[in-house]
Amino acid sequence: MHDGLATRSRSALRAFLGSEAAGGVVLMVAAALALVVANSPLAVGYFGVLETDVLGLSILHWINDALMAVFFLLVGLEIKREMLDGQLSTWSRRALPGIAALGGMIVPALIYIALNAGTPETLRGWAIPAATDIAFALGVLSLLGPRVPVSLKLFLTTLAILDDLGAVMIIAAFYTANLSLGMLAAAAAALAVLFSLNRAGVERIPPYLVLGAVLWWFVLKSGVHATIAGVALAMAIPLRKSPGRPEPLASPLHRLEHALQPWVAFCIVPIFGFANAGVSFAGLSLEALLAPVPLGVALGLFLGKQWGVFLFAWAAIRAQRADLPANASWIQLYGTSVLCGIGFTMSLFIGLLAFPSSSELMDATKIGVLVGSLASAVVGAMILRFSRSERRPRSAPTACA
């Protein structure tokens, strides 16, 4: 039975990685298309449609507040599953990606802060380079094929999930203002009902989704960003461990996660990328690129991520708190650390929260995210393309002993 469970787990992992990787390729195409449209005669129509009001919110707000709530629902489901019954369920499994993720959030933020310390308005964007885009990064890895060990793909996936958890906590703690206590109380009541359904053993998904929509509305009106409702809903979805049944059918959480995965990967995230990556390069100068915001974001992603992830991972392995991923060499671990600087989706999202009323700063953020993510993708892919796997035991090399 144990072997059967392991087989199902590996199959689910391969399906997850394949879906994320393919979704990353679609996201790349959507982002490239947005840049082309934003710098073409279609730009006026592109930005005009995004600002069109529908039921009290612009189309761009519906994308960023409603569609992305579904994205965060999937993120929450992945986090809960991995924490309770997956790669993050034990300390030995979460040690290396957890320590590396911590470094990958701290160092980029410090670089951004160092370049924006004298300007309180731009300092709000300190968390922008602290996130890794799992779909984009796995999309790059998929283009490299079998040159990259599966253990590194798993390391990157787990690290990115922990990055997402950190980003959710940052959004809730630092990008919330003008709270409505009444709406917060209503949201708490809706969440209490959701957890009551869980405790009562309700396994049908529709009741959770209906109450989740109510929860989203209360959170939207409370002053907390509406996407947090997606994570909160995910925590209430039941996860039942049922060894006798195929994993996708084992519990409501598995069923919902598998149902949402293709929609998020191939529809929601590309729509978000297309709606938010568009920035006009008209009048763009070297001086504008070297301004504190784009420079802080670009260097935070490209340098901060690779330094933070690799150095913290190296320290954990040297201290024997974790092992080098199976069949991976140190140079491959470094190349994967560079890929962690692809911060596209979550970085753009945090930028929207940091500079909600400044289109100029948001454009600067987009430029920094695009430059930092592109540099990380190209350099990381080149390192992995010409590196070789290591077949020795998973320990620090003799030269470093």
Side-chain angles (χ1 to χ4, degrees):
M1 182 177 293
H2 178 77
D3 292 340
L5 282 174
T7 301
R8 288 198 296 273
S9 179
R10 287 194 296 270
S11 299
L13 175 62
R14 283 195 292 268
F16 173 79
L17 291 175
S19 178
E20 288 286 354
V25 174
V26 176
L27 176 57
M28 295 179 202
V29 174
L33 183 60
L35 290 173
V36 171
V37 171
N39 291 276
S40 74
L42 298 174
V44 175
Y46 168 78
F47 290 110
V49 168
L50 291 176
E51 294 301 322
T52 301
D53 185 272
V54 177
L55 300 177
L57 294 175
S58 68
I59 289 178
L60 184 61
H61 275 97
W62 278 111
I63 293 171
N64 294 337
D65 290 353
L67 282 185
M68 287 302 284
V70 180
F71 167 79
F72 275 85
L73 169 59
L74 180 61
V75 167
L77 293 173
E78 291 171 352
I79 291 171
K80 181 175 180 178
R81 172 177 51 78
E82 293 294 344
M83 286 288 188
L84 297 180
D85 192 28
Q87 290 300 319
L88 298 175
S89 59
T90 63
W91 170 249
S92 60
R93 290 179 172 181
R94 69 173 73 109
L96 183 64
I99 293 170
L102 181 62
M105 288 185 280
I106 292 174
V107 179
L110 290 177
I111 289 177
Y112 183 93
I113 290 171
L115 291 169
N116 289 268
T119 312
E121 181 185 12
T122 62
L123 194 59
R124 280 181 51 82
W126 63 271
I128 294 171
T132 295
D133 190 307
I134 183 174
F136 221 135
L138 284 175
V140 174
L141 279 184
S142 72
L143 299 177
L144 297 170
R147 294 184 182 89
V148 181
V150 174
S151 63
L152 281 180
K153 297 177 182 179
L154 178 59
F155 166 75
L156 179 60
T157 301
T158 308
L159 185 149
I161 289 173
L162 289 170
D163 253 4
D164 286 342
L165 176 60
V168 169
M169 296 171 65
I170 288 170
I171 290 170
F174 297 99
Y175 295 106
T176 295
N178 302 320
L179 293 177
S180 167
L181 296 181
M183 286 297 177
L184 276 178
L191 190 58
V193 175
L194 282 165
F195 277 105
S196 296
L197 291 179
N198 185 319
R199 294 294 298 274
V202 176
E203 294 204 358
R204 294 182 63 247
I205 294 176
Y208 291 96
L209 296 183
V210 171
L211 280 170
V214 175
L215 173 65
W216 175 84
W217 176 255
F218 288 144
V219 174
L220 176 69
K221 296 299 182 179
S222 72
V224 177
H225 198 272
T227 52
I228 298 299
V231 179
L233 172 60
M235 296 302 106
I237 303 297
L239 172 62
R240 318 278 187 220
K241 299 180 183 179
S242 303
R245 289 184 285 175
E247 183 173 334
L249 302 177
S251 70
L253 186 145
H254 288 105
R255 297 199 304 272
L256 183 57
E257 183 182 6
H258 281 261
L260 288 177
Q261 183 65 45
W263 288 99
V264 171
F266 299 111
C267 184
I268 291 175
V269 171
I271 288 175
F272 173 84
F274 180 74
N276 289 279
V279 58
S280 174
F281 295 137
L284 185 64
S285 64
L286 180 60
E287 182 180 0
L289 286 173
L290 297 178
V293 170
L295 187 62
V297 171
L299 292 182
L301 287 172
F302 180 59
L303 295 180
K305 271 293 183 179
Q306 60 176 277
W307 291 349
V309 170
F310 184 75
L311 290 178
F312 273 57
W314 175 84
I317 294 169
R318 287 281 290 133
Q320 298 184 347
R321 299 295 181 182
D323 293 326
L324 189 66
N327 300 324
S329 64
W330 285 91
I331 189 64
Q332 287 181 320
L333 179 62
Y334 175 65
T336 305
S337 301
V338 176
L339 285 185
C340 290
I342 303 175
F344 191 80
T345 304
M346 195 66 81
S347 292
L348 287 178
F349 188 79
I350 294 176
L352 292 169
L353 301 181
F355 310 124
S357 58
S358 176
S359 59
E360 181 179 348
L361 289 178
M362 193 57 226
D363 284 346
T365 297
K366 292 179 183 179
I367 293 171
V369 170
L370 291 171
V371 171
S373 297
L374 180 61
S376 298
V378 172
V379 174
M382 291 295 288
I383 293 172
L384 291 169
R385 170 66 177 80
F386 295 104
S387 62
R388 293 184 178 182
S389 296
E390 179 63 73
R391 297 297 176 181
R392 292 180 298 178
R394 294 179 293 172
S395 60
T398 304
C400 295

